[in-house]
């Protein structure tokens, strides 16, 4: 299972530098979701844009050409690590990747029942960004967790069905 965020975040020298680190608020919510997942799932965290985009020492959203330039890196990660599911965190990441994959416009479910697009055996699932949930939908954190965890359960069920056959 892949988690794909937008870009790197600022950190100090003593902080963990991994994408979606559990020491960030978004990363902590993702870690919480992972803890309650089936134990045989493996998770990988990455960002669409690998660098920290700055403008006059302030963090900014990546520009279209920066996402274009970094997209081959994400494609390579997916090709090499072969995830079954890629969670695209937030509208900007999901819209960009879906456009690249030839998918339709991204619409986020207000009921947190997420649907994916399967391309070359990989399911790409646009989900709300954890920071959006933490800021604007805090009362729905449990629904958000359950919406994502339903994918975990379906993957494990499918894997067991294949092994039994």
């Amino acid at each position: 299972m892949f988690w794909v965020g937008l870009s790197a975040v600022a950190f100090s020298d003593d902080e963990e530098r991994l994408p979606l680190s559990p020491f960030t608020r978004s990363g902590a919510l993702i870690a919480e979701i992972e803890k309650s997942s089936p134990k045989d799932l493996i998770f990988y965290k990455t960002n669409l844009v690998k660098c920290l985009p700055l403008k006059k020492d302030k963090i900014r959203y990546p520009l279209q050409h920066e996402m274009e330039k970094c997209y081959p890196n994400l494609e390579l990660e997916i090709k090499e690590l072969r995830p079954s599911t890629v969670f695209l965190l937030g509208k900007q990441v999901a819209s960009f990747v879906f456009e690249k994959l030839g998918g339709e416009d991204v619409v986020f479910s207000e009921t947190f029942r997420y649907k994916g697009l399967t391309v070359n055996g990989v399911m790409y699932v646009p989900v709300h960004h954890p920071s959006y949930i933490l800021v604007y939908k805090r009362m729905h954190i449990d629904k958000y967790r359950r919406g994502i965890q339903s994918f975990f359960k379906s993957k494990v069920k499918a894997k067991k069905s294949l092994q039994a056959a």
Side-chain angles (χ1 to χ4, degrees):
M1 302 275 175
F2 264 37
W3 299 100
V4 181
L6 182 57
S7 64
V9 298
F11 53 83
S12 63
D13 289 338
D14 61 335
E15 290 179 315
E16 184 176 312
R17 299 172 188 225
L18 297 173
L20 301 164
S21 164
F23 299 107
T24 65
R25 291 182 65 217
S26 291
L29 180 53
I30 289 171
E32 201 176 301
I33 293 168
E34 290 176 351
K35 279 182 196 172
S36 59
S37 71
K39 300 301 176 213
D40 57 344
L41 293 180
I42 299 169
F43 295 96
Y44 179 80
K45 297 172 184 88
T46 190
N47 287 311
L48 175 58
V49 175
K50 308 302 185 203
C51 63
L52 176 65
L54 295 173
K55 182 177 183 176
K56 297 184 181 179
D57 295 330
K58 295 206 184 239
I59 299 172
R60 61 168 171 75
Y61 286 111
L63 303 173
Q64 182 73 21
H65 77 273
E66 292 166 326
M67 292 187 288
E68 291 284 349
K69 192 167 192 133
C70 291
Y71 185 68
N73 295 321
L74 178 62
E75 288 180 305
L76 182 62
E77 287 174 307
I78 291 168
K79 181 181 175 189
E80 294 290 320
L81 298 174
R82 298 179 301 181
S84 61
T85 305
V86 176
F87 290 107
L88 304 169
L89 302 175
K91 181 83 171 165
Q92 203 167 0
V93 172
S95 295
F96 181 84
V97 173
F98 262 47
E99 181 181 310
K100 291 292 187 185
L101 298 173
E104 297 178 14
D105 288 341
V106 174
V107 177
F108 288 99
S109 167
E110 288 302 315
T111 61
F112 306 102
R113 292 190 180 137
Y114 299 111
K115 296 178 183 175
L117 169 69
T118 301
V119 176
N120 298 325
V122 178
M123 180 174 282
Y124 294 85
V125 184
V127 298
H128 293 91
H129 195 285
S131 64
Y132 172 81
I133 299 299
L134 290 166
V135 173
Y136 299 107
K137 299 288 183 179
R138 193 147 185 78
M139 293 177 62
H140 301 286
I141 289 175
D142 286 336
K143 286 181 187 176
Y144 176 71
R145 277 192 213 114
R146 285 192 304 272
I148 293 172
Q149 288 167 341
S150 70
F151 274 91
F152 299 163
K153 291 175 187 166
S154 67
K155 289 296 178 180
V156 170
K157 189 186 287 186
K159 185 177 177 182
K160 287 180 181 177
S161 295
L162 285 175
Q163 290 172 343

